[in-house]
């Protein structure tokens, strides 16, 4: 009978207005009221991290929307496993080859002593390249051919993830019986739900206005929107710039210190501290931006709840994305590119010299930046914002209720379930949960070329994250009103957008931030032996100390020319300090690589998306079967109806009585309505 | 009642197996048997070219599949109008600015006489640059900044076209009531249809095999497939290469002629003749490839008719695409890039020198190539293959039937309609019609950067094409069995694939084939005055005649250095004849432009596709209304049923009799089945 039931259910929602369904759902939930214990046992415990999630139970208890969130989180975490395995292998390759890597060996070699131009004016002295040995060795860990392969792999991984999720979503919406529901139905429901949950901004965005708003009414709202978003961007950029200034000054100060140990690590330490400042700024601004996005969206007065949510998400995403990635973008693509050259440096506030990149490439700094921001963001958000704050709020509420406590204590009844439920924090919606994951997805996809371990950390975080969220939903929050949803909505678009964006970003990171292309060019064009020997020498240009502006350098007892990391003509050439032929050659190679990489990856992703069918085979067959059964049932019913009518005309009570009892017609019609 | 009818129809096909529908359709066609006169009047006449097509009538008479083809052709032609208007404007800009264009003025300037290296060995003499004045002026018509804008415009146009068609298709499939039909239904029908139409290869690809084929059975088929497709590619390339050889030799011969007029036009004339040869080769191979593709697909023994068609189309497209575009790709991207340099030329068959590009750039040759192939293909295909051949076949059949004619003449009955219909040629399927249009779409989108007039010619062709096909279908061919289809199938994917491909192709044409980037680089980096003056001088390198291998040049009375079009170090530099810094700088600029162009256009296309909703608003609302009505009708029916049953238990004949006559139930149920 199960197939009949299934088919009749399908038959049901094709016709019956949705209210009936809600009723059933409601009854269903009542029946499973005790399932929260079960959820707590099987799902909402850290000790259950290795188990699959009981998604159907989650959906039964929390409704489709939250069920989909956890299903999505599960798929994402699951797919992070292969990614992190490959990531570890790639990192292992870096570790294994660090001692055989010629460029870093050359940098650490005492014998070929390159005397480099000072890192800062006045205080700083000329320095030996081999003091930056550590940086060079470290940067090789992330800047090696395996990384190129890995970033291609990760771009395809992102496509694979989206395709896989599409399939999962379809099979879920089939088994959860969502295939039929329309947008508008979802809207209405979530609107009603919204009524209960957050009454605080319903008055603004439910269409409580009798008249339709004209563009004149909306114009100021949009104007404020655009202007304040631009202002927020400005805020973000200025924060980044402030940190840059900090970095410049501190590195100048540290470079003055006599201790060579400090000197050699100046870059790493400065970067680290600067990044921590960045992190704090990001975390603070994140909270502000969340509130701003909400406020701005309310100004727009969207019609339905769905549009409200979508616009809110888009704004919040835009702001938080900028906020989280602006410093990383700076390090990856701008740092050290506008530093100028010895004797003609670029100055900010005409006494701070723009910072340069490490001799080992900016990649190591980018890597530090990424790892600290990613890990810090996750740890702090998980611990403080998701555990600490709620507990604090609870405490506050408890204290507030102290006053009313006396009254309660007077009558002896123990506090009822509903009292205890009411004491819990209200449900704030899924947006923050998704947002956190999306930003993390950015770390995993956008800059993976510079930090192959990102998937590993993401995986570790998510294994905890799932149980953390589960715990929170089951024990910490009031049970949210179940909201129907047939997909994860705009988040999917954001994800696929990031996937596309990551391709070009990775291409630029590999070709411009890392030293991959210069190495190739040297090996195949300039190297006499066809090996990497002499690469370092090739990347350093000559500079004649006499060309320094007087006073910028302390001790001029040295006379032989100095080196700096750039492709420029030597002082003795006709066009001294102009970009050399090598510079243009390498630039061309880098750009060619970008084109090649981008188009190759895009083509491969198209192939992957084309190979994987959106709808699983099993579902297709099942749908066909159900359709067939529907037709049969329907025709059967029609036949019975005809016989019935027929029998009415031919006066023969017993026959049509018999027939009536035999016919499935009444049952079916009850099932339907 | 129309809304009720609509809703009941929808209700109908949700349940009723399709056969019922076919019956209706069949009756419908019978009813409109006379509509072919109407079609002939309103549609299948050249004089009706300005009218909208009566698509619904076409669909009624020929079925959905052919209806969709003509609808698609209509949309395509309609959208070609704005494209061709913009194209004409762009071309006009070129014409208007040709006299103020400094580079072409400099090339035609008698005073600055650049003596160029000979175009061929032995026979050819040194020549003056200003003899190529005509080429330079002509190439400016297509190689100007407006072209860049135009190719961006056309890429967006392609996206717009696809989106627009998607909308049209949806509204058609709604008004033609195709929204419900499944793939498999379509298959079966088209399969049955195929049974009638082309019985000749049904035996191969209908699953007449009792057992399922294992990969072992299929392996040889696939092997033959791959190998013969590769062989065909080889054939195409060898044809192209043959034409290259022809070009090289003939241009060498013509260059020997004393007449200066011939000399100056050598390139154009040679190109023209060569292209005509190309054209003939293409037309012949096209026919061969069509047959080969069919044969290969039959080897694969696909399961359903749809898969058969798809595979056939893909193969045919692959082969014909290669065939049509191989020579164009050669001219656009390879010609003149492997010619070597004076004193060190590249030789094929060690006595033919590889050909170079004109001083005005390869673009003009590409343009000639495109225009001749495109126009020639269209004219010849339309006139010979679509009008001539059918008439010929008809004649042949007529002659064949001579023998039987006597017998007919004996009995006096005039030939009946079915005799006359039988005399018509059989319907060969839509594939060739689509293929012709798709290849044309390639000319409009892929290389539009080099030939802005392509849309105009396409438009002119299609206005005729529509009526030509209509005429053919109505009068020349037997009436094909109506085939249902809910979209144009794989053709859509091919179109969107070409759209994506065209972006990168146009980017490369602009940056590498045209002189757009070198001009920009000169103006903003190398030019002292910031104007284009001296550009020609800048693009020409110096060559010392004494570096010629002895015997390659006839008269060595001249001693001063000569020029050739390339960025290389002069003879007196340390690394003589190596690529100069300018070369690498320009190359970098070109590659940067490709990246910029591609990503900009891709972003804009995403925006366009996102702004235009796939389903028109009207359809959405209509679907909602119908759904509501369905629910009402259904509930009403259920209510009546309950009353009916109820009335049976409560013995009161007159009441339920009365009720029975009043109830819409029987009518509805008849409507349903």
């Amino acid at each position: 009978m199960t197939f009949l039931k299934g088919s009749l259910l399908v038959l049901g929602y094709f016709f019956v207005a949705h209210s009936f369904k809600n009723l059933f759902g409601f009854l269903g939930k009542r029946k499973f009221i005790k399932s929260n214990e079960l959820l707590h046992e099987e799902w909402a415990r850290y000790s259950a991290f290795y188990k699959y999630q009981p998604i159907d139970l989650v959906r039964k208890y929390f409704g489709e929307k939250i069920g989909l969130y956890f299903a999505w989180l599960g798929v994402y975490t699951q797919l992070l496993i292969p990614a992190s395995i490959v990531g570890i292998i790639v990192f292992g390759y870096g570790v294994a080859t660090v001692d055989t890597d010629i460029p870093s060996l050359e940098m650490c070699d005492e014998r070929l002593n390159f005397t480099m131009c000072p890192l800062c004016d006045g205080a700083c002295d000329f320095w030996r390249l081999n003091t930056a040995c550590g940086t060079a060795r470290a940067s090789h860990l992330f800047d090696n051919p395996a990384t190129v392969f890995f970033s291609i792999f990760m771009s395809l991984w992102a496509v694979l993830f989206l395709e896989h999720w599409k399939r999962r979503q379809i099979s879920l919406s089939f088994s959860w019986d969502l295939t039929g529901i329309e947008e508008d139905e979802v809207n209405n429901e979530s609107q009603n739900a919204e009524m209960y949950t957050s009454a605080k901004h319903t008055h603004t965005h439910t269409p409580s206005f009798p008249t339709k708003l004209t563009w004149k009414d909306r114009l100021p709202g949009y104007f404020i929107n655009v202007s304040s978003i631009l202002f927020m961007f400005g805020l973000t950029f200025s924060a980044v710039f402030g940190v840059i200034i900090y970095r410049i000054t501190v590195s100048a100060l540290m470079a003055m210190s006599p201790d060579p140990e400090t000197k050699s690590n100046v870059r790493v330490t400065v970067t680290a501290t600067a990044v921590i400042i960045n992190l704090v700024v990001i975390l603070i601004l994140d909270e502000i931006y969340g509130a701003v996005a909400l406020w701005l969206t309310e100004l727009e007065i969207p019609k339905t709840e769905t549009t409200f949510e979508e616009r809110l998400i888009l704004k919040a995403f835009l702001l938080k994305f900028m906020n989280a990635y602006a410093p990383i973008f700076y390090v990856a693509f701008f740092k050290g590119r506008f530093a100028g050259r010895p004797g003609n440096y670029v100055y900010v506030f005409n006494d701070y010299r723009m910072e340069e990149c490490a001799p080992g490439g900016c990649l190591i700094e980018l890597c530090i930046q990424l790892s600290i921001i990613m890990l810090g963001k996750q740890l702090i958000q998980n611990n403080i914002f998701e555990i600490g704050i709620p507990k604090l709020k609870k405490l506050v509420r408890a204290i507030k209720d102290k006053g009313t406590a006396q009254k309660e204590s007077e009558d002896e009844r123990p506090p009822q379930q509903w009292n205890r439920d009411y004491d819990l924090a209200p449900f704030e919606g899924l947006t923050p949960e998704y947002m956190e994951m999306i930003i993390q997805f950015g770390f995993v996809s956008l800059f993976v070329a510079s930090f192959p371990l990102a998937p590993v950390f993401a995986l570790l975080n998510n294994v905890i994250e799932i149980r953390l969220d589960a715990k929170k939903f089951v024990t910490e929050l009031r049970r949210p009103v179940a909201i129907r949803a047939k997909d994860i909505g705009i988040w999917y678009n954001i994800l696929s957008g990031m996937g596309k964006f990551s391709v070009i970003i990775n291409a630029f990171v590999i070709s411009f931030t890392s030293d991959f292309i210069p190495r190739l060019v040297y090996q195949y064009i300039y190297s006499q032996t066809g090996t990497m020997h002499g690469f370092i020498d090739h990347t350093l240009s000559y500079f004649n100390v006499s060309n320094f502006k007087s006073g910028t350098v302390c001790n001029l007892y040295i006379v032989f020319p100095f080196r700096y990391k750039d492709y420029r003509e030597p002082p003795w050439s006709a066009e001294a300090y102009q970009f050399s032929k090598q510079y243009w050659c390498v630039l061309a190679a880098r750009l060619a690589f970008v084109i090649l990489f981008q188009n190759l990856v895009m083509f491969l992703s198209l192939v992957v998306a084309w190979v994987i069918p959106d709808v699983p085979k099993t579902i297709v067959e099942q749908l066909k079967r159900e359709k067939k059964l529907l037709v049969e049932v329907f025709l059967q019913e029609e036949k019975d109806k005809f016989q019935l009518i027929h029998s009415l005309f031919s006066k023969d009570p017993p026959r049509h009585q018999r027939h009536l009892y035999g016919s499935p017609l009444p049952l079916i019609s009850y099932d339907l309505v």
Side-chain angles (χ1 to χ4, degrees), chain A:
Chain A
M1 276 318 274
T2 169
F3 70 82
L4 190 65
K5 193 176 133 295
S7 58
L8 287 176
L9 271 172
V10 179
L11 192 61
Y13 71 70
F14 266 124
F15 294 123
V16 184
H18 224 79
S19 45
F20 293 104
K21 239 189 161 38
N22 292 349
L23 181 69
F24 289 146
F26 183 68
L27 292 174
K29 288 205 195 60
R30 278 281 142 280
K31 196 153 7 82
F32 283 85
I33 186 63
K34 277 287 152 234
S35 58
N36 57 355
E37 275 85 357
L38 187 54
L39 277 174
H40 193 275
E41 271 310 300
E42 286 302 307
W43 179 57
R45 284 161 59 241
Y46 293 114
S47 55
F49 71 93
Y50 58 90
K51 287 183 187 166
Y52 279 105
Q53 305 184 76
I55 291 297
D56 292 336
L57 202 55
V58 175
R59 173 246 180 172
K60 272 223 183 70
Y61 187 70
F62 287 114
E64 283 75 10
K65 203 170 183 184
I66 293 177
L68 276 171
Y69 165 69
F70 280 106
W72 175 79
L73 193 52
V75 169
Y76 174 46
T77 310
Q78 211 175 351
L79 278 175
L80 274 173
I81 294 168
S84 38
I85 290 169
V86 178
I88 290 167
I89 292 168
V90 167
F91 185 72
Y93 173 84
V95 173
T97 55
V98 69
D99 295 329
T100 62
D101 177 49
I102 296 161
S104 47
L105 285 177
E106 281 186 335
M107 276 196 76
C108 301
D109 193 342
E110 297 288 345
R111 279 164 293 125
L112 22 101
N113 54 359
F114 301 109
T115 318
M116 304 295 288
C117 291
L119 285 171
C120 65
D121 294 352
C124 303
D125 196 354
F126 299 96
W127 57 288
R128 292 296 173 89
L129 187 59
N130 54 29
T131 55
C133 173
T135 333
R137 289 175 63 83
S139 69
H140 173 76
L141 296 181
F142 305 102
D143 186 358
N144 58 52
T147 322
V148 178
F149 153 77
F150 188 58
S151 51
I152 294 174
F153 170 83
M154 283 308 286
S155 303
L156 297 184
W157 175 85
V159 179
L160 206 74
F161 163 53
L162 288 173
E163 288 295 313
H164 188 71
W165 169 245
K166 233 188 271 164
R167 288 165 66 89
R168 182 100 169 89
Q169 193 166 259
I170 283 168
S171 42
L172 277 180
S173 69
F174 175 78
S175 62
W176 292 355
D177 187 13
L178 303 167
T179 36
I181 65 172
E182 301 295 330
E183 260 326 307
D184 54 353
E185 294 171 16
V186 178
N187 295 358
N188 304 343
E189 288 181 355
S190 57
Q191 221 161 20
N192 308 346
E194 195 59 25
M195 294 282 194
Y196 303 117
T197 50
S198 68
K200 81 179 195 316
H201 56 74
T202 27
H203 66 279
T204 55
H205 59 266
T206 42
S208 55
F209 300 84
T211 62
K212 196 182 172 311
L213 289 172
T214 65
W215 65 272
K216 274 209 192 60
D217 308 326
R218 296 185 177 284
L219 196 60
Y222 285 127
F223 179 73
I224 297 170
N225 253 302
V226 174
S227 51
S228 46
I229 283 177
L230 290 179
F231 172 74
M232 294 297 152
F233 282 2
L235 198 63
T236 310
F237 289 135
S238 52
V240 173
F241 190 69
V243 175
I244 293 167
I245 299 299
Y246 161 84
R247 227 192 264 122
I248 292 169
T249 45
V250 172
S251 52
L253 295 174
M254 281 182 72
M256 279 190 250
S257 79
D259 173 17
E261 186 51 38
T262 331
K263 271 208 167 93
S264 66
N265 298 337
V266 54
R267 189 169 300 278
V268 179
T269 44
V270 169
T271 314
T273 49
V275 173
I276 289 162
I277 298 169
N278 265 333
L279 178 61
V280 174
V281 173
I282 287 170
L283 288 172
I284 294 164
L285 286 182
D286 244 15
E287 297 307 304
I288 298 169
Y289 287 166
V292 170
L294 186 60
W295 174 65
L296 288 175
T297 317
E298 285 172 358
L299 283 181
E300 285 180 15
I301 319 172
K303 282 216 183 53
T304 65
E305 181 58 28
T306 322
T307 39
F308 178 84
E309 207 175 18
E310 282 194 354
R311 291 183 183 184
L312 174 61
I313 288 168
L314 273 181
K315 280 193 197 58
F317 173 74
L318 208 64
L319 290 171
K320 294 192 172 187
F321 182 86
M322 283 301 299
N323 184 23
Y325 291 109
I328 298 171
F329 270 93
Y330 166 73
V331 173
F333 299 126
F334 301 109
K335 184 173 182 184
R337 311 221 182 273
F338 311 115
R341 57 171 186 79
N344 180 19
Y345 285 118
V346 177
Y347 290 90
V348 286
F349 304 142
N350 53 35
D351 53 356
Y352 289 116
R353 219 173 85 187
M354 276 307 282
E355 54 189 348
E356 299 171 42
C357 269
C362 274
L363 200 72
I364 182 68
E365 296 188 22
L366 177 58
C367 177
I368 295 169
Q369 189 98 15
L370 270 168
S371 48
I372 292 181
I373 288 185
M374 180 175 173
L375 295 180
K377 210 162 172 307
Q378 288 181 346
L379 289 176
I380 293 173
Q381 270 182 338
N382 284 352
N383 296 332
I384 296 176
F385 290 97
E386 298 202 13
I387 302 178
I389 302 287
K391 288 221 180 300
L392 211 68
K393 279 184 181 167
K394 203 170 173 184
L395 199 69
V396 170
R397 263 202 312 286
I399 293 160
K400 253 212 237 86
D401 300 353
K402 261 285 154 53
T404 57
Q406 277 73 18
K407 211 195 283 92
E408 273 202 15
S409 56
E410 285 158 13
D411 44 27
E412 288 317 301
R413 281 191 289 93
Q416 296 295 314
Q417 181 59 42
W418 52 80
N419 301 105
R420 280 199 245 95
D421 288 349
Y422 183 75
D423 292 345
L424 298 172
F427 173 66
E428 295 292 353
L430 281 169
T431 311
E433 312 296 337
Y434 272 116
M435 191 64 73
E436 189 189 340
M437 283 298 118
I438 295 286
I439 296 292
Q440 187 204 64
F441 182 78
F443 284 112
V444 175
S445 61
L446 282 182
F447 287 95
V448 76
S450 59
F451 187 44
L453 292 179
V456 182
F457 291 118
L459 177 63
L460 293 178
N461 174 69
N462 289 7
V463 169
I464 302 164
E465 180 76 19
I466 293 178
R467 307 304 159 176
L468 187 71
D469 287 351
K471 227 181 162 59
K472 193 171 72 183
F473 278 51
V474 174
T475 62
E476 301 287 326
L477 299 180
R478 293 181 201 156
R479 180 180 177 180
V481 173
I483 299 175
R484 282 177 74 83
K486 65 182 204 299
D487 52 26
I488 60 172
I490 194 162
W491 294 112
Y492 184 86
N493 309 6
I494 291 178
L495 276 174
S496 69
M498 281 181 111
K500 286 190 176 64
F501 190 47
S502 71
V503 177
I504 184 77
I505 292 294
N506 278 315
F508 272 101
V509 167
I510 293 170
S511 62
F512 281 91
T513 314
S514 85
D515 270 350
F516 177 69
I517 300 298
R519 289 212 194 92
L520 280 186
V521 171
Y522 176 76
Q523 188 161 7
Y524 293 108
I525 297 180
Y526 292 107
S527 170
Q528 276 74 13
T529 59
T531 63
M532 290 302 297
H533 289 291
F535 172 69
I536 297 296
D537 185 29
H538 178 260
T539 57
L540 299 175
S541 303
Y542 289 92
F543 177 70
N544 188 344
V545 74
S546 59
N547 301 44
F548 259 132
K549 290 191 219 63
S550 59
T552 54
V553 184
C554 43
N555 42 8
L556 287 172
Y557 58 83
I558 330 171
V559 283
F560 52 83
F562 303 101
R563 315 297 296 273
Y564 59 99
K565 193 178 195 310
D566 208 344
Y567 292 104
R568 287 177 184 277
E569 300 285 350
W572 53 82
S573 97
E575 42 199 11
Y577 303 126
Q578 295 304 306
F579 285 119
S580 65
K581 196 188 284 185
Q582 283 83 331
Y583 173 84
W584 293 111
C585 178
V586 168
L587 182 61
R590 289 179 160 180
L591 292 164
F593 177 83
V594 170
I595 296 172
L596 185 72
F597 183 91
Q598 189 186 5
N599 287 291
L600 175 71
V601 172
M602 284 198 307
F603 174 73
L604 288 178
S605 339
L606 274 181
V607 171
V608 169
W610 174 70
V611 165
I612 300 174
D614 286 3
V615 185
K617 220 176 183 57
T618 55
I619 303 289
V620 176
E621 282 158 1
Q622 215 150 349
L623 281 172
K624 272 191 194 147
R625 203 182 314 125
E626 282 194 350
K627 199 178 165 201
K628 208 166 113 287
L629 289 166
L630 281 181
V631 173
E632 282 170 6
V633 170
F634 179 80
L635 291 177
Q636 180 57 39
E637 190 180 351
E638 287 301 313
K639 214 168 82 248
D640 298 343
K641 215 188 292 164
F642 287 142
Q643 289 180 5
L644 177 60
I645 293 148
H646 197 77
S647 61
L648 291 172
F649 288 108
S650 60
K651 296 271 164 290
D652 174 11
R655 204 174 125 282
H656 90 244
Q657 289 285 357
R658 210 183 329 101
H659 158 77
L660 231 185
Y661 297 131
S663 96
L665 182 140
L667 303 165
I668 287 167
S669 39
Y670 286 132
D671 273 34
L672 289 179
V673 184

